[in-house]
């Protein structure tokens, strides 16, 4: 049996897999946990003590385990930036009674998930068909609690070698099309309580959307009334629902601005990674807002680059990953392919 | 032996190399003015004639593979062959691997982008070929090269657990990201948006012409010092004069321009380090860095490099940062890539 996990900053999914030749990987006894625990070991303990998990295992041991984690994996450990948890292979070996354990970045897990996809049409939505180029590089960009980025090097056997990135923490960039963007940056700088630059993740995430909403709202207020802070924020869910139902102008504006910033960021990454092989967009926020509904706004910003690079980006295929389990499947796929 | 070349818009450097262990060793080399030749093929033939007349042994004159780092986009054709149109030499016909192979009678010819060649060259550098900006904590992992010169080149070297693989980037054309705590770079972006009809890539600020753009912006804003008479009448190669006057402290406007340039350089290198997760080290290449070393070492660069949010500031503080001072790094890289064919 294989144990696989998708360890995000907001939720953790664990599942068992019993791989069989020629068939899709199917999660067994999938459980979802919040991140309120003290450490990851505590989460594994509660999964382990689950009666149905015990029954499913039926005395069998775990041959391999792989976890996709939202954070930089260096060697056999990962410190999660949002939770402060430190996850170590060494500690998990004792707990799981299994030597073949691998920690990978959550986006790397998604990359393996893309490799595991058998039916592309079922799992991916096309934002830009582009030219099916012979490019040997692709990338994934996801948004939700944080902004995840990963470059994929296409190998000879047509599978991906994922290259980790911390690009979500690099300085935020803004598309030329959004006139509001410079004002937004100024607004965010006034509110920040740390010494570094505003990062892309601080704009392209749920909390980023909440700040964008406050920016859009405050813009119309008089100087004195601009006191937005944590206390008068509207939650991302409320903003997204209102924007999707089309019954609140401020929410619609805020979401449009986020989508256009997202498109610009994805377009920058496409150039930076020379990802002419394709850009895969995913993550909970992208799924939640149904990016296909915002295709035009996203793609306009994606393509708005200087000179010949506008043309280059318009030929890059862009696809949305529709399957929310892709990271979990990818971790299981990694364990099956590389650890057993 | 390996025939290697660093092919630039103005100068071309060609050499014959042998390999010992993991290092390439130059046997003979010569520099040429690129524009004096009708085609790249003619230029290389001239060098091969020079090799023929030289005192190298017959064995050393035998060339098994040729590899060239080109200042221009290298495209992969449908049949897997690579070709290149030199950016600043439009009258040279398109250079193709197969055609060169036939012309030079060398079995295997490899064309690389010049930045990729620098990427391969990193492994060939010795201690004296670079100057440290940040010691950091060296780790096995990805590396990154950022090189401001005529344009802005970037290349990432991904680590597969055994070796580094340079992979080309067009990051110089991504949207410029204003950094810093004051509004200066935001105003700079506004100024350049006006000049370039909205679309401003990093190269518009991080390159020779980029330094001139920064200078013009500061001059036109009127708040950062007066233009010197010497610069006012200078029409070409102003970047060179701006950095010289900045380093000698002769003109405040020039000093301010170089300060903004170096701060943007540091911030962009720091961002590229995060993008590439370059815990294995960041290398500053290109023609500008060795000329402004003193300024790069005054703390401005590293301060901007590390000015990231949360853990990323700590991550970047641990990354070794070095300026490549050996101008032959691209040539060495092309030779090393030739060895690996």
């Amino acid at each position: 049996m294989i144990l696989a996990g998708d360890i995000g900053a907001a939720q953790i999914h664990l599942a068992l897999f019993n791989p069989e030749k020629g068939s899709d990987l199917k999660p067994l006894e999938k459980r979802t946990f919040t991140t309120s625990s003290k450490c990851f070991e505590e989460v594994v303990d509660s999964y382990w003590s689950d009666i149905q998990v015990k029954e499913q295992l039926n005395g069998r041991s775990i041959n391999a385990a792989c976890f996709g984690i939202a954070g930089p994996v260096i060697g056999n450990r990962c410190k999660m930036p949002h939770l402060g948890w430190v996850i170590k292979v060494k500690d998990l070996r004792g707990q799981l009674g299994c030597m073949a354990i691998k920690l990978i970045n959550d986006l790397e897990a998604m990359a393996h998930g893309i490799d595991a996809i058998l039916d592309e049409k079922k799992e991916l939505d096309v934002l830009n068909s582009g030219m099916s180029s012979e490019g040997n590089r692709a990338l994934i960009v996801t948004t939700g609690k944080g902004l995840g980025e990963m470059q994929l090097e296409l190998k000879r056997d047509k599978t991906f070698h994922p290259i980790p990135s911390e690009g979500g923490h690099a300085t935020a960039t803004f598309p030329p099309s959004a006139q509001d963007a410079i004002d937004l940056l100024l607004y965010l700088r006034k509110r920040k309580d740390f010494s570094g630059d505003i990062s892309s993740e601080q704009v392209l995430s749920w909390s980023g959307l909440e700040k964008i909403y406050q920016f859009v709202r405050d813009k119309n207020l008089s100087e004195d009334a601009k006191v937005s802070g944590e206390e008068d924020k509207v939650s991302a869910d409320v903003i997204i629902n209102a924007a999707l139902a089309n019954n609140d102008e401020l929410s619609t504006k805020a979401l449009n601005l986020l989508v256009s910033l997202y498109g610009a960021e994805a377009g920058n990454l496409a150039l930076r990674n020379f990802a002419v092989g394709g850009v895969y967009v995913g993550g909970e926020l992208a799924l939640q807002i149904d990016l296909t509904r915002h295709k035009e706004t996203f793609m306009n910003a994606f393509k708005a680059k200087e000179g010949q690079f506008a043309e280059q980006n318009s030929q890059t295929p862009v696809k949305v990953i529709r399957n929310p389990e892709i990271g979990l499947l990818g971790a299981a796929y990694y364990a099956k392919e590389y650890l057993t | 032996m390996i025939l290697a070349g660093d092919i630039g818009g103005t100068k071309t450097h060609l050499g014959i190399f042998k390999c010992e262990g993991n290092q390439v060793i130059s046997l003979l080399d010569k520099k040429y003015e690129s524009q004096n030749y009708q085609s790249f093929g003619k230029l290389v033939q001239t060098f091969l004639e020079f090799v023929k007349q030289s005192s190298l042994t017959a064995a050393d004159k035998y060339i098994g593979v040729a590899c060239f780092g080109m200042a221009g986009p290298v495209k992969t054709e449908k049949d897997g062959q690579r070709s290149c149109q030199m950016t600043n030499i439009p009258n040279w016909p398109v250079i193709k691997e197969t055609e060169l192979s036939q012309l030079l009678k060398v079995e295997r010819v490899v064309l690389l982008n010049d930045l990729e060649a620098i990427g391969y060259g990193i492994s060939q550098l010795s201690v004296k070929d670079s100057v440290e900006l940040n010691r950091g904590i060296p780790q096995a992992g990805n590396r990154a090269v950022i090189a401001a010169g005529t344009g802005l080149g970037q290349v990432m070297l991904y680590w597969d657990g055994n070796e580094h693989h340079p992979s080309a980037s067009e990051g110089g054309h991504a949207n410029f990201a204003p950094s810093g705590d004051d509004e200066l770079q935001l105003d700079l972006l506004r100024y350049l948006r006006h000049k370039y009809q909205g679309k401003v890539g990093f190269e518009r600020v991080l390159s020779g012409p980029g330094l001139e753009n920064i200078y013009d912006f500061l001059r036109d804003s009127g708040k950062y010092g007066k233009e010197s008479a010497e610069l006012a009448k200078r029409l070409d190669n102003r970047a060179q004069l701006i950095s010289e006057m900045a380093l000698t402290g002769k003109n405040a406007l020039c000093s301010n321009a170089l300060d903004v340039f170096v701060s943007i350089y540091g911030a962009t290198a720091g961002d590229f380090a995060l993008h590439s997760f370059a815990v294995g080290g960041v290398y500053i290449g290109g023609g500008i860095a060795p000329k402004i070393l003193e300024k790069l070492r005054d703390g401005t660069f590293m301060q901007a490099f590390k000015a990231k949010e949360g853990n990323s500031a700590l991550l970047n503080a641990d990354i070794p940062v070095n300026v490549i001072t050996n101008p032959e790094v691209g040539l060495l890289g092309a030779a090393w890539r030739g060895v690996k064919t």
Side-chain angles (χ1 to χ4, degrees):
Chain A
M1 286 291 243
I2 282 171
L3 174 65
D6 177 15
I7 307 168
Q11 280 188 329
I12 296 166
H13 307 283
L14 295 177
L16 294 169
F17 288 83
N18 190 8
E20 284 168 46
K21 272 198 181 130
S23 68
D24 285 335
L25 281 163
K26 279 199 200 78
L28 305 167
E29 308 304 334
K30 182 183 152 191
R31 299 284 181 274
T32 299
F33 301 88
T34 64
T35 49
S36 58
S37 300
K38 274 205 307 291
C39 59
F40 181 56
E41 285 80 0
E42 215 173 276
V43 178
V44 174
D45 266 341
S46 26
Y47 186 71
W48 234 220
S49 53
D50 189 306
I51 296 287
Q52 280 149 319
V53 170
K54 279 190 179 144
E55 277 174 9
Q56 182 67 248
L57 272 170
N58 195 17
R60 284 175 295 184
S61 59
I62 299 288
N63 323 94
C66 178
F67 304 98
I69 309 172
V73 177
I74 301 179
N76 282 325
R77 73 196 288 278
C78 175
K79 184 172 180 197
M80 294 182 70
H82 297 94
L83 299 174
W85 290 2
V86 180
I87 303 176
K88 294 180 199 154
V89 166
K90 201 173 61 183
D91 299 344
L92 289 168
R93 279 188 180 139
Q95 205 180 2
L96 299 174
C98 160
M99 289 305 285
I101 298 176
K102 180 82 177 168
L103 306 181
I104 59 179
N105 177 271
D106 57 341
L107 268 87
E108 180 172 353
M110 288 181 78
H112 293 295
I114 292 174
D115 274 349
I117 287 176
L118 299 175
D119 182 2
E120 265 217 5
K121 283 207 185 82
K122 206 172 75 189
E123 312 275 4
L124 301 171
D125 286 322
V126 177
L127 286 191
N128 188 42
S129 45
M131 303 236 299
S132 56
S133 138
E134 286 298 301
N136 63 347
R137 234 167 298 149
L139 72 89
I140 301 183
V141 52
T142 66
T143 175
K145 182 138 184 174
L147 179 69
E149 301 178 348
M150 174 148 299
Q151 181 176 331
L152 307 170
E153 190 86 14
L154 195 62
K155 292 188 288 192
R156 283 214 180 89
D157 63 359
K158 299 283 176 193
T159 61
F160 292 120
H161 177 90
I163 306 167
S165 168
E166 285 294 310
H169 301 285
T171 313
T173 57
F174 297 98
S177 52
Q179 289 303 328
D180 282 346
I182 290 184
D183 297 335
L184 171 63
L185 180 57
L186 271 175
Y187 175 87
L188 294 173
R189 280 187 182 179
K190 275 185 198 139
R191 288 190 47 187
K192 76 181 172 130
D193 54 1
F194 60 95
S195 63
D197 287 319
I198 298 286
S199 71
S200 296
E201 174 168 292
Q202 287 169 329
V203 189
L204 293 171
S205 55
W206 283 312
S207 69
L209 178 61
E210 289 163 0
K211 291 192 193 104
I212 293 174
Y213 177 86
Q214 289 179 323
F215 159 73
V216 172
R217 186 187 57 192
D218 289 5
K219 231 172 42 142
N220 300 320
L221 298 178
S222 68
E223 256 332 295
D224 301 340
K226 292 178 187 176
V227 287
S228 278
E230 286 302 300
E231 66 283 356
D232 66 347
K233 99 181 165 188
V234 178
S235 86
D237 285 347
V238 173
I239 299 165
I240 290 170
N241 289 337
L244 294 181
N246 222 353
N247 60 17
D248 177 53
E249 203 191 333
L250 289 180
S251 298
T252 304
K253 271 190 185 160
L255 190 60
N256 280 342
L257 188 49
L258 176 114
V259 170
S260 131
L261 295 167
Y262 197 12
E265 175 73 7
N268 285 334
L269 290 175
L271 292 178
R272 194 170 285 125
N273 298 347
F274 208 58
V276 289
V279 172
Y280 296 92
V281 189
E284 290 163 274
L285 205 162
L287 287 174
Q288 201 182 357
I289 65 173
D290 185 3
L291 211 50
T292 52
R293 286 175 57 166
H294 310 274
K295 188 164 140 179
E296 207 176 318
T297 312
F298 185 93
M299 284 309 300
N300 279 344
F302 185 88
K303 290 186 276 198
K305 308 296 165 195
E306 55 182 13
Q308 74 199 74
F309 300 98
E311 177 65 16
Q312 183 176 312
N313 268 7
S314 66
Q315 290 177 359
T316 301
V318 182
K319 293 166 187 172
V320 182
I321 302 168
R322 200 193 293 142
N323 185 344
E325 282 187 343
I326 196 96
L328 185 64
L329 289 175
Y333 183 77
Y334 187 95
K336 173 176 96 99
E337 291 291 309
Y338 304 105
L339 300 178
T340 57
Chain B
M1 298 305 118
I2 299 126
L3 166 61
D6 177 19
I7 323 304
T10 36
K11 288 209 162 52
T12 285
H13 194 177
L14 297 171
I16 302 289
F17 288 83
K18 68 172 177 178
C19 182
E20 275 179 17
N22 284 326
Q23 296 294 310
V24 292
I25 293 158
S26 171
L27 299 176
L28 184 72
D29 70 298
K30 199 166 161 62
K31 287 179 187 155
Y32 297 87
E33 298 289 329
S34 311
Q35 310 262 5
N36 290 353
Y37 298 83
Q38 293 160 4
S39 70
F40 179 58
K42 284 257 175 352
L43 198 168
V44 184
Q45 283 179 316
T46 310
F47 177 68
L48 289 182
E49 192 54 40
F50 169 71
V51 174
K52 207 169 151 188
Q53 307 298 330
S54 75
S55 59
L56 290 184
T57 65
D60 285 348
K61 285 178 184 171
Y62 173 77
I63 296 163
V65 54
C67 181
F68 305 106
M70 320 292 296
V74 176
K75 286 183 186 157
T76 306
E77 306 289 338
K78 285 237 152 37
D79 58 2
Q81 289 295 322
R82 308 233 278 176
S83 68
C84 176
Q85 173 74 62
M86 290 289 288
T87 306
N88 292 317
I89 319 179
N91 56 328
W92 275 11
V94 174
I95 300 155
K96 292 182 181 155
E97 285 178 343
T98 34
E99 288 179 12
L100 270 180
S101 170
Q102 283 161 11
L103 183 75
L104 307 176
K105 299 184 180 63
V106 171
E107 201 178 325
R108 184 86 176 88
V109 174
V110 179
L111 295 183
L112 290 178
N113 172 266
D114 53 354
L115 258 293
E116 280 180 281
I118 294 177
Y120 282 104
I122 299 291
S123 68
Q124 301 298 310
L125 296 178
S126 66
V127 184
K128 62 175 178 18
D129 293 329
S130 65
V131 169
E132 183 180 283
L133 293 189
N134 189 45
R135 175 146 305 164
I137 302 170
Q139 297 186 65
N142 298 345
R143 288 173 172 168
V145 180
I146 181 164
T150 318
L152 177 66
Q154 296 184 338
V155 63
M156 162 184 176
L157 289 82
Y158 89 83
W159 173 248
D160 69 1
N162 293 307
E163 58 179 342
H164 285 102
H165 301 269
S167 97
S169 167
E170 295 286 3
H173 302 285
N175 303 126
F176 165 53
S179 55
D181 278 335
D182 56 22
E183 291 184 27
L184 189 143
Q185 291 184 30
L186 286 171
D187 292 336
L188 171 63
L189 176 58
R190 288 196 186 99
Y191 178 91
L192 294 176
R193 275 188 177 180
H194 185 71
K195 180 171 176 182
Y196 295 111
Q197 291 81 44
K199 295 170 186 172
V200 182
F202 281 98
E203 192 171 282
R204 301 294 194 193
V205 286
L206 273 185
S207 59
L211 176 58
E212 294 170 7
N213 276 335
I214 293 171
Y215 175 87
D216 290 345
F217 156 70
L218 294 180
R219 183 197 57 208
D220 293 353
S221 76
K223 292 185 288 190
Y224 299 92
K226 282 206 174 108
E227 179 157 63
S228 77
E230 207 179 335
L231 252 165
K233 58 179 192 248
R234 176 77 83 108
L235 293 175
D236 60 345
N237 209 359
R238 290 191 303 146
Q240 175 84 27
L241 187 56
I242 293 166
S243 58
E244 279 168 17
M245 295 188 82
L247 292 173
T248 51
K250 274 187 193 153
N251 179 273
L253 184 57
C254 291
S255 299
N256 285 326
L258 191 64
D259 197 61
V260 173
F261 178 86
V262 168
S263 176
I264 296 176
Y265 209 170
T268 309
D271 285 336
F272 193 47
L274 290 172
H275 277 290
S276 313
F277 198 46
V279 293
V282 168
Y283 294 84
I284 316 298
I288 296 176
K291 291 181 192 146
I292 59 166
L293 255 185
E294 198 185 315
K295 177 67 195 165
L296 288 173
R297 299 178 77 179
D298 79 353
T300 313
F301 184 95
M302 280 311 298
Q303 192 191 342
F305 186 91
K306 291 186 283 197
K308 307 298 165 194
E309 44 112 352
N311 282 337
S312 306
L314 303 174
L315 182 72
N316 273 9
D318 283 349
I319 294 179
V321 181
N322 285 281
V323 178
I324 303 170
T325 49
N326 183 345
E328 292 179 7
V329 60
L331 181 64
L332 293 170
W336 176 236
R337 174 65 183 82
V339 172
K340 292 163 70 72
T341 337

